[in-house]
Structure formats: C-alpha cells, structure tokens
Amino acid sequence: MLRFLHWLFERILRTPVIFWGCVSANLIGAVWGAAVWYGPMLAASPLWAWPFIPDCPLAAFLGTIALFGMRAGRRWSFFYTLTAFACIHYGIWTLAFWLRQWTGSGIIDPFEAVLFVTHVGLLCEGILFATRLGDVSFPLRFAVIGWFVLAFGVDYGLGFHPPLASHVTFEFIMWLTVVLTGGLSVALLALPRAGEQPARMPTTAVKG
C-alpha cells in the first residue's frame, strides 16, 4: 500500500495537469473558506486569533505550499509534518461534522455534499503528505503537537471554534477534536525516524 501511495504521489507531482489542478483546488478552497465560511467570524475576532480560526482553509493553503516544496525536492520535514497533521485532522473533523448533521436532520443539502467531497480530498492529500515527511526529530514532533493543543485551547477554551450546524453540538465537536488531536499525536510520536525507515523524498526538482 505504501509503495502505491509513493507511486501515486509521484504521478501527481510530475504530471502538470494534475499538479496544477490540485494547486488550484487548494487555493480556491482556502480563499473561499476563509472569506465565506469563516469571513464573518474573522471580522468579529481580534487579529491574534486569526491563525486559529480558518482551520480547513489554512490546511488547504499549507497544502499548496507543501505541493510546491515537494515538487521542487525541498526537505521541509517540520512543515510537511505540520501540514499533514492539519490536512488529516481537519479532513476527518469535517467529514464527521457533516455525517453528524445529516444523521440528525435526515437531509443532505447539495452544498454540504460538495463540502464533504472536497474534504475527502483534503484528507487524502494529508495522507499523501504523511508518506513524505522525511526525518522529523522528536522536539519538532512535540512542536507540531503543541500547536494543535494550543489551537484546541483557543477554539474551545476561548470560544473561537468553527460555526456549528443545527444538529452538531459544541460537546460533539469538542470531543471530536480531543480524539483526533490525541490519536494523531500518538501516531506522530510512534512514527519511526528516517534512520529506522527511510522516507522517500523526491531527489530532484520536477520541471514543467
């Protein structure tokens, strides 16, 4: 399976039409999500809270940068780890959010279905990034985990959590975040170092 993921990611990075399609999708999601979904919340929040508010748009924007970095063969292990964690975390979070809403309402709105599908893409992107982390030291792993613990405190301790839906409660999204942050943190700490299991990174920049 891992071999297949490496092959698939190579095809994405080396096929211009697919690569630029992924970049465009990320940028559209980042801009639309920040402006429309989180726009009113950002406008009403202090500037210091902005990095913690647009969760999925920020993950998509980081994913855009990561795609360029990996295509160019850059070994930004810490950045890739942060990006993979964000894409997987917020991808799963959003899927669970809408499944909970649909279970409660019994209605699947077409727009919500589009959001669901796009976040399946965000999750898949995060999984692909996770195959290319390189050698990440444990202090850097703890730094990544620390960022998401801090984000949890800002979201649920200070009230800057994402907007709720009619059948999605505060308690549900809070505990969902606890489970995701905890589970991904354990997985990150358990990940072998590169010396134990070499990470396959692009060795040369991709042209085109």
Side-chain angles (χ1 to χ4, degrees):
M1 183 61 178
L2 186 59
R3 183 186 298 273
F4 170 74
L5 292 177
H6 282 305
W7 174 86
L8 177 62
F9 205 13
E10 282 298 309
R11 300 288 73 73
I12 292 172
L13 294 176
R14 295 180 181 277
T15 307
V17 66
I18 300 177
F19 175 81
W20 288 106
C22 291
V23 168
S24 299
N26 275 345
L27 289 178
I28 291 172
V31 172
W32 184 93
V36 178
W37 188 260
Y38 288 98
M41 189 174 180
L42 287 169
S45 302
L47 288 177
W48 66 263
W50 282 25
F52 303 97
I53 292 175
D55 297 330
C56 295
L58 179 59
F61 180 70
L62 295 178
T64 303
I65 299 174
L67 283 172
F68 280 106
M70 291 188 174
R71 192 169 193 255
R74 301 290 185 264
R75 296 179 180 271
W76 302 335
S77 295
F78 172 73
F79 181 76
Y80 297 151
T81 304
L82 180 69
T83 302
F85 198 116
C87 291
I88 295 173
H89 186 292
Y90 297 126
I92 296 175
W93 188 97
T94 305
L95 300 184
F97 179 98
W98 288 118
L99 287 174
R100 176 76 171 203
Q101 171 65 12
W102 297 338
T103 300
S105 68
I107 301 172
I108 300 178
D109 181 271
F111 174 71
E112 296 169 356
V114 170
L115 290 178
F116 187 90
V117 171
T118 58
H119 286 82
V120 170
L122 186 68
L123 169 60
C124 292
E125 190 171 45
I127 293 172
L128 290 177
F129 289 146
T131 67
R132 299 291 186 91
L133 299 184
D135 188 14
V136 187
S137 68
F138 280 97
L140 292 183
R141 299 185 197 203
F142 280 111
V144 170
I145 294 169
W147 169 260
F148 286 93
V149 171
L150 176 61
F152 174 84
V154 172
D155 282 356
Y156 301 100
L158 301 180
F160 292 99
H161 58 80
L164 302 176
S166 60
H167 289 79
V168 180
T169 64
F170 172 84
E171 289 75 16
F172 175 79
I173 62 169
M174 183 187 72
W175 285 109
L176 174 61
T177 303
V178 169
V179 171
L180 286 173
T181 303
L184 288 173
S185 297
V186 170
L188 177 57
L189 292 175
L191 194 69
R193 291 290 299 271
E196 304 168 41
Q197 182 178 330
R200 297 180 59 180
M201 297 285 290
T203 56
T204 59
V206 180
K207 305 296 185 181

